[in-house]
Amino acid sequence: KVLLAYVAGVVLTITLMLAVAVAIVTVKGDVLSGPDVADLTENLAEMLTFDTNGVPVSFSDALGFADSEEDFASWLFDSLKQETAYRVLDASGNVVLTSEAGEAFWRTSGAARRLERGRFEFEREGVVMRAATAASEHNGRTWFLQCAVSARFLQFGYRAFALPFTAFGVAVFSLVLLVVFAICGYV
């Protein structure tokens, strides 16, 4: 009876973990994507490189893409121009650096002069965009990096990668747990 109770508990726990993971990933809200975009923006702000005048010109390769032909920011933002964009603004709101998507990406965002840290949303050509602003200090000047990623691209990533890998991880963990407990219970 004790072994059956344990097995029932494990099955119930696994079912609840999978249900919560599926619910979080499939909800169209800001639960995962908002913090993810904010973290990406903060990371990019830390990766900014500056010229001799102290103006942002590119990103460092802090994520280890040096072996590839392009760095992380170039690859992500140039390849996915319809889904992602970034720009760097000075304290006056003037754009000094932008991704391949250009300023046209941001024109209808309502964020043209938004120079405060934090997350925000806007709609671009009928697509909801999750965005965030991060500040970067350099030589006594403050620069504001804005980054935006479409909600549909984020959902694709969660459904195509996060959910299957989470399910696989839970399944492997569960099988190991059952095997180990079965051996211990038998002994």
Side-chain angles (χ1 to χ4, degrees):
K1 288 181 181 180
V2 171
L3 289 176
L4 288 177
Y6 176 78
V7 170
V10 168
V11 170
L12 181 61
T13 301
I14 293 165
T15 304
L16 288 174
M17 287 181 357
L18 286 175
V20 168
V22 168
I24 288 174
V25 170
T26 57
V27 169
K28 300 272 187 206
D30 200 16
V31 175
L32 294 175
S33 59
D36 284 349
V37 173
D39 288 344
L40 173 63
T41 305
E42 289 290 336
N43 291 338
L44 287 173
E46 292 173 8
M47 292 168 53
L48 278 173
T49 59
F50 300 85
D51 65 10
T52 56
N53 298 324
V55 177
V57 291
S58 65
F59 296 97
S60 66
D61 187 31
L63 297 178
F65 280 77
D67 296 337
S68 65
E69 294 177 12
E70 297 183 77
D71 61 28
F72 171 73
S74 295
W75 169 81
L76 177 66
F77 294 100
D78 295 351
S79 296
L80 301 168
K81 292 180 241 195
Q82 297 298 318
E83 306 297 325
T84 62
Y86 71 83
R87 67 181 181 175
V88 180
L89 302 101
D90 64 13
S92 302
N94 300 315
V95 177
V96 295
L97 181 65
T98 185
S99 62
E100 282 288 317
E103 260 314 282
F105 187 95
W106 299 91
R107 240 175 235 128
T108 60
S109 71
R113 299 287 177 233
R114 186 182 192 289
L115 298 178
E116 55 191 53
R117 288 182 171 168
R119 302 182 311 195
F120 60 98
E121 265 186 28
F122 63 93
E123 195 168 306
R124 180 181 175 274
E125 298 177 6
V127 177
V128 175
M129 304 298 292
R130 307 266 194 250
T133 303
S136 178
E137 300 284 333
H138 184 75
N139 291 343
R141 295 173 69 183
T142 303
W143 303 94
F144 296 92
L145 181 116
Q146 291 182 329
C147 178
V149 181
S150 72
R152 68 184 175 189
F153 180 72
L154 291 164
Q155 285 296 316
F156 168 73
Y158 297 140
R159 287 185 180 159
F161 301 105
L163 189 56
F165 286 126
T166 300
F168 179 74
V170 169
V172 168
F173 170 77
S174 303
L175 287 173
V176 169
L177 186 68
L178 284 172
V179 168
V180 168
F181 183 77
I183 292 170
C184 291
Y186 177 76
V187 170

